[in-house]
Amino acid sequence: MKVNIAEYIGSYPKESKCPKTGKPEYAFIGRSNVGKSSLINMLTNRQNLARVSKTPGKTQSLNFYLIDEAWYIVDLPGYGFAKISKTKRAEWEKMIEIYLMHRTTLMSAMVLIDANVPPQLIDIEFINWLGEEHVPFVIVFTKADRLKKNALNANIQRFKNELMKSWNEMPPYFITSSNEGIGQEELYEFFDKTNQLARG
């Protein structure tokens, strides 16, 4: 699989306003500054399709990108460190919750986890919530190029150990680096297989 065309379609304030084309969707979400925009740009082979910002909280809507006129990448607001009011945070959380729980064309949430940091409670709790609500998801470890292999593997193992306190088996996961292109082919294969299943 190779992405040939990627285009920004629009930003939507809630699930009911999102495109109703019936095309498969993959929702990218993670803590602020996890490398979400960089990963989207790497997967679409575009440098500036998704805006990369050093300021957390720039994504404030459900941002849709159409891939090869066949499926969507959906960029969701990050959670964690964005400096926003409690009211605005509650609005974001509700928007994300409704989208993830009710979007019938959602094939998978792509939960981005920074591979360089110790396990974060907010990530564990979010993944557990997805499991409780039966939202399909995979885990995508990001920034894998920033650590030596042994340290990277140790960090990922710590996360897996923490997650396995609540799970019987490890959910599917990918290891990526936007700078090095690590994980691109594996994610393409995942999208391709899942899209084929969606087509029946």
Side-chain angles (χ1 to χ4, degrees), residues 8 14 48 86-87 104-105 126 134 136 139 161 163 178 180:
Y8 170 72
K14 54 184 177 179
N48 299 304
K86 289 183 179 180
T87 301
T104 57
T105 44
F126 182 68
H134 305 289
I139 296 169
N161 291 344
L163 197 60
S178 299
E180 304 291 337

Side-chain angles (χ1 to χ4, degrees), residues 31-47:
R31 285 188 300 112
S32 298
N33 278 0
V34 75
K36 185 157 48 74
S37 296
S38 296
L39 182 63
I40 291 172
N41 290 335
M42 182 264 278
L43 289 170
T44 57
N45 299 308
R46 295 273 296 277
Q47 288 189 336

Side-chain angles (χ1 to χ4, degrees), residues 22-64:
K23 299 182 191 303
E25 298 170 17
Y26 299 86
F28 284 60
I29 188 169
R31 285 188 300 112
S32 298
N33 278 0
V34 75
K36 185 157 48 74
S37 296
S38 296
L39 182 63
I40 291 172
N41 290 335
M42 182 264 278
L43 289 170
T44 57
N45 299 308
R46 295 273 296 277
Q47 288 189 336
N48 299 304
L49 185 67
R51 288 188 178 182
V52 178
S53 173
K54 293 182 180 179
T55 305
K58 285 296 183 183
T59 304
Q60 300 184 16
S61 305
L62 306 169
N63 297 331
F64 274 64

Side-chain angles (χ1 to χ4, degrees), residues 169-182:
E169 60 182 274
M170 183 67 188
Y173 69 92
F174 299 87
I175 299 172
T176 70
S177 163
S178 299
N179 290 333
E180 304 291 337
I182 297 169

Side-chain angles (χ1 to χ4, degrees), residues 1 23-26 67 70-72 107 188-200:
M1 175 185 170
K23 299 182 191 303
E25 298 170 17
Y26 299 86
I67 311 301
W71 53 281
Y72 294 105
M107 296 295 102
Y188 282 169
E189 184 178 350
F190 168 72
F191 296 139
D192 193 35
K193 286 183 177 179
T194 310
N195 287 340
Q196 288 180 27
L197 290 173
R199 289 192 293 266

Side-chain angles (χ1 to χ4, degrees), residues 18-138:
C18 293
K20 296 177 174 61
T21 64
K23 299 182 191 303
E25 298 170 17
Y26 299 86
F28 284 60
I29 188 169
R31 285 188 300 112
S32 298
N33 278 0
V34 75
K36 185 157 48 74
S37 296
S38 296
L39 182 63
I40 291 172
N41 290 335
M42 182 264 278
L43 289 170
T44 57
N45 299 308
R46 295 273 296 277
Q47 288 189 336
N48 299 304
L49 185 67
R51 288 188 178 182
V52 178
S53 173
K54 293 182 180 179
T55 305
K58 285 296 183 183
T59 304
Q60 300 184 16
S61 305
L62 306 169
N63 297 331
F64 274 64
Y65 301 93
L66 181 61
I67 311 301
D68 290 332
E69 300 182 351
W71 53 281
Y72 294 105
I73 284 175
V74 186
D75 186 6
L76 304 187
Y79 53 81
F81 302 110
K83 295 181 179 179
I84 55 174
S85 67
K86 289 183 179 180
T87 301
K88 178 60 69 174
R89 186 183 301 278
E91 289 176 4
W92 284 8
E93 290 175 352
K94 193 65 177 176
M95 175 180 67
I96 292 168
E97 178 182 317
I98 291 173
Y99 172 83
L100 291 174
M101 290 179 64
H102 300 289
R103 190 68 174 171
T104 57
T105 44
L106 176 65
M107 296 295 102
S108 179
M110 316 295 289
V111 184
L112 275 58
I113 304 294
D114 189 338
N116 297 274
V117 301
Q120 303 293 303
L121 180 60
I122 191 171
D123 291 326
I124 300 295
E125 289 180 341
F126 182 68
I127 290 171
N128 287 344
W129 176 81
L130 290 173
E132 290 166 1
E133 298 298 335
H134 305 289
V135 177
F137 74 93
V138 298

